[in-house]
Amino acid sequence: MKPVRIGILGLGTVGSGTVNVLSRNAKEIARRAGREIKVVQASARDLKKERACPTKDIKITQDPFAIVDNPEIEVVIELIGGVDLAKELVLKAIANGKHVVTANKALIAIHGNEIFQAAQNKGVMVAFEAAVAGGIPIIKAIREGLAGNSIEWLAGIINGTGNYILTEMRDAGRDFADVLAEAQKLGYAEADPTFDVEGVDAAHKLTILAAIAFGIPLQFDRAYIEGISKITESDVEYAQAFGYRIKHLGIARRTEQGVELRVHPTLVPERRLIANVDGVMNAVLVKGDAVGPTLYYGAGAGAEPTASAVVADIVDVVRTLTTDPNNRVPHLAFQPDALSDLPILKMEDVKTSYYLRMQVIDKPGVMADVTRILGARKISIEAMLQKESEVSDDSASVIILTHRVIEKNMNAAITEIEALATIQGEVTRIRIEQLNKEWD
Ligand code: NDP
Ligand code: HSE
């Protein structure tokens, strides 16, 4: 049989990794796919740049449209990143009847509904395993492996750069900016690294996971997003004193009122496996009604781990090239005409427990005021710690852990506490999740 001819848009970290894996494992991959896979053309901005992969058999162009318009090419691999140009290229490839593989979570989270509709109309596939959690085959696991379940919730560490930064800050006491620069050098970070540290990248990925878990359209603009840039060393230490670790989690949970879709730093009990996922590793915990909790772990970023997922998609596409488009696994796991209109909950309607840290003037009656405000909103305290300030004799840090409460009640309580004359600055709030089998 003739080889399948593919074209790669972008020869950076993931593009080069993909060429390396395809060439190193060519024989095994062909045995799996049933056909040899040949990279015939690739694009990059700078033709003079040295590439981290062999390129002598690949025609390299500066014009990515030359690839999507190349009649020889059956499958286009989009590894440029960004949204606008990538969308134009992917839609053009689809219009030209080509299948697409992409690692671009921003593209899928924001324009996926339109892209999948276009692909369905044209009878081509758009595969995106590498878009979530790097090398972990989490899309396949949820979309196919858990197809018999009603998924109740999922929670994941889904940004490798952020987890790398948090781990190095905690274990080596390293500076935030230094670790971020290292993550960029290692090829983990996004072109705009604020996407990693402010939670946007994780929200893109969570949007995709929620869609395939619950059979809802992609709704990135409804996700609640908070990053890791405000976490201090003291919060990491206090969390540890209470038996927790701070992890940046993406959480999607189905409730009777709607779907929670939220990305934020979270205190997780240190005995949970996911609390011990360190460095660039990612992990996603998925609770299905039949299977119970399941955990998926692996490298969340980097050239070859991501290439592993890209190549798996290429093999999937090649295996199904000749199947009837109506009999393929649907892009978003559920049949396109069977998506549900479950609403996404506003963050103020979400219920969680909280870690609160505040700087107080150390005098009688201060704690009574704080506990009165919490009590008036029916917020019950689970634990409390007071630490003398290292910088001033008359102030102290107070850390409070609460039981679960609706976020809008906590917002109101925090506003009232911050207005007390005895409270200095803002109250730091980090949500706590137990990630129990049972989540009330
Ligand atoms: P890189 O920046 O390393 O590579 C991007 C490639 O695209 C480069 O070859 C670059 O050319 C080319 N390119 C960029 N912009 C343009 C443009 N405007 N026109 C033409 N070519 C362009 O990115 P990554 O490989 O890290 O990421 C690629 C995609 O994979 C992104 O969507 C990213 O989110 C996703 N991803 C990345 C992971 C990682 O660990 N890095 C993991 C999972 C997903 P040149 O080299 O000449 O500059
Ligand atoms: N910048 C992303 C991360 C790449 O660090 O997780 C993988 O999607």
Side-chain angles (χ1 to χ4, degrees):
M1 243 181 161
K2 278 205 329 213
V4 177
R5 291 163 171 268
I6 69 172
I8 302 185
L9 309 174
L11 271 184
T13 304
V14 184
S16 301
T18 300
V19 173
N20 282 328
V21 172
L22 280 172
S23 64
R24 190 174 68 240
N25 297 337
K27 284 198 182 133
E28 295 246 351
I29 290 167
R31 283 172 60 210
R32 290 196 170 103
R35 286 169 73 179
E36 190 191 330
I37 293 162
K38 200 165 161 33
V39 182
V40 291
Q41 200 173 13
S43 77
R45 275 178 303 201
D46 180 355
L47 296 184
K48 294 209 180 89
K49 205 190 263 183
E50 204 178 315
R51 299 291 156 188
C53 61
T55 54
K56 80 175 167 41
D57 297 326
I58 305 173
K59 216 161 92 189
I60 302 186
T61 170
Q62 257 179 324
D63 176 14
F65 287 93
I67 295 179
V68 299
D69 288 331
N70 182 342
E72 276 198 324
I73 288 173
E74 286 173 84
V75 188
V76 169
I77 321 298
E78 186 280 301
L79 302 172
I80 281 182
V83 168
D84 297 334
L85 175 63
K87 180 186 177 196
E88 209 184 322
L89 288 163
V90 164
L91 287 177
K92 190 85 196 291
I94 292 170
N96 287 340
K98 299 183 195 310
H99 304 280
V100 174
V101 172
T102 179
N104 192 333
K105 48 273 167 137
L107 177 71
I108 297 298
I110 296 168
H111 296 298
N113 297 323
E114 180 185 345
I115 289 170
F116 296 142
Q117 182 64 60
Q120 204 201 337
N121 294 345
K122 201 71 190 174
V124 296
M125 283 169 276
V126 175
F128 52 95
E129 181 66 68
V132 183
I136 308 174
I138 188 66
I139 303 287
K140 202 168 192 68
I142 297 177
R143 194 164 57 182
E144 298 172 49
L146 299 181
N149 287 261
S150 171
I151 308 286
E152 295 171 4
W153 54 265
L154 58 89
I157 295 170
I158 45 181
N159 182 270
T161 303
N163 202 42
Y164 188 65
I165 294 172
L166 284 179
T167 306
E168 290 292 307
M169 276 172 71
R170 188 196 68 214
D171 291 354
R174 287 179 64 194
D175 179 63
F176 190 104
D178 274 1
V179 192
L180 173 58
E182 192 187 353
Q184 287 180 283
K185 222 159 104 194
L186 291 166
Y188 300 157
E190 292 304 297
D192 176 354
T194 60
F195 276 35
D196 295 290
V197 299
E198 296 305 345
V200 178
D201 178 72
H204 288 146
K205 293 164 176 166
L206 184 70
T207 300
I208 298 171
L209 289 179
I212 61 169
F214 306 132
I216 54 175
L218 295 149
Q219 297 167 76
F220 170 68
D221 54 351
R222 306 297 308 275
Y224 173 81
I225 309 175
E226 206 179 293
I228 57 168
S229 59
K230 292 193 185 126
I231 293 177
T232 65
E233 264 178 62
S234 320
D235 292 322
V236 172
E237 279 167 24
Y238 294 141
Q240 231 159 312
F242 284 109
Y244 289 90
R245 295 240 165 116
I246 301 181
K247 289 290 172 192
H248 189 245
L249 292 189
I251 296 173
R253 189 165 85 98
R254 197 198 308 240
T255 71
E256 277 174 18
Q257 295 74 36
V259 171
E260 294 177 7
L261 192 63
R262 49 191 172 108
V263 166
H264 51 71
T266 312
L267 265 73
V268 180
E270 66 190 358
R271 62 186 178 282
R272 299 266 177 272
L273 285 174
I274 201 166
N276 294 283
V277 170
D278 288 335
V280 74
M281 304 310 273
N282 279 190
V284 185
L285 190 50
V286 185
K287 167 83 187 325
D289 69 334
V291 70
T294 56
L295 181 66
Y296 308 85
Y297 169 84
E304 291 216 358
T306 311
S308 163
V310 171
V311 173
D313 272 349
I314 298 173
V315 170
D316 248 4
V317 167
V318 171
R319 280 173 177 155
T320 47
L321 277 176
T322 51
T323 55
D324 174 352
N326 294 318
N327 293 334
R328 292 181 186 141
V329 179
H331 292 110
L332 288 180
F334 291 70
Q335 297 301 332
D337 59 0
L339 293 188
S340 135
D341 57 2
L342 260 180
I344 305 292
L345 286 181
K346 288 194 191 128
M347 194 58 201
E348 60 176 29
D349 295 327
V350 166
K351 204 172 176 189
T352 66
S353 317
Y354 293 84
Y355 159 105
L356 305 176
R357 175 173 56 80
M358 58 201 85
Q359 195 71 17
V360 304
I361 295 178
D362 199 4
K363 66 179 196 185
V366 178
M367 287 323 298
D369 285 341
V370 172
T371 51
R372 176 184 50 74
I373 291 170
L374 294 175
R377 309 252 170 212
K378 301 210 167 15
I379 301 171
S380 76
I381 294 174
E382 190 193 309
M384 197 179 322
L385 174 75
Q386 178 164 341
K387 288 283 259 190
E388 292 315 307
S389 168
E390 283 164 17
V391 285
S392 128
D393 284 345
D394 60 356
S395 75
S397 291
V398 170
I399 299 94
I400 296 174
L401 304 195
T402 76
H403 287 288
R404 282 157 67 75
V405 54
I406 299 270
E407 177 119 346
K408 65 175 136 215
N409 291 357
M410 182 53 85
N411 292 344
I414 289 176
T415 307
E416 226 179 302
I417 291 171
E418 284 176 345
L420 292 172
T422 46
I423 300 293
Q424 301 174 321
E426 291 182 358
V427 174
T428 295
R429 152 243 304 264
I430 309 179
R431 298 166 187 88
I432 306 175
E433 293 296 356
Q434 297 302 323
L435 303 180
N436 284 337
K437 199 170 161 197
E438 303 312 329
W439 192 333
D440 69 17

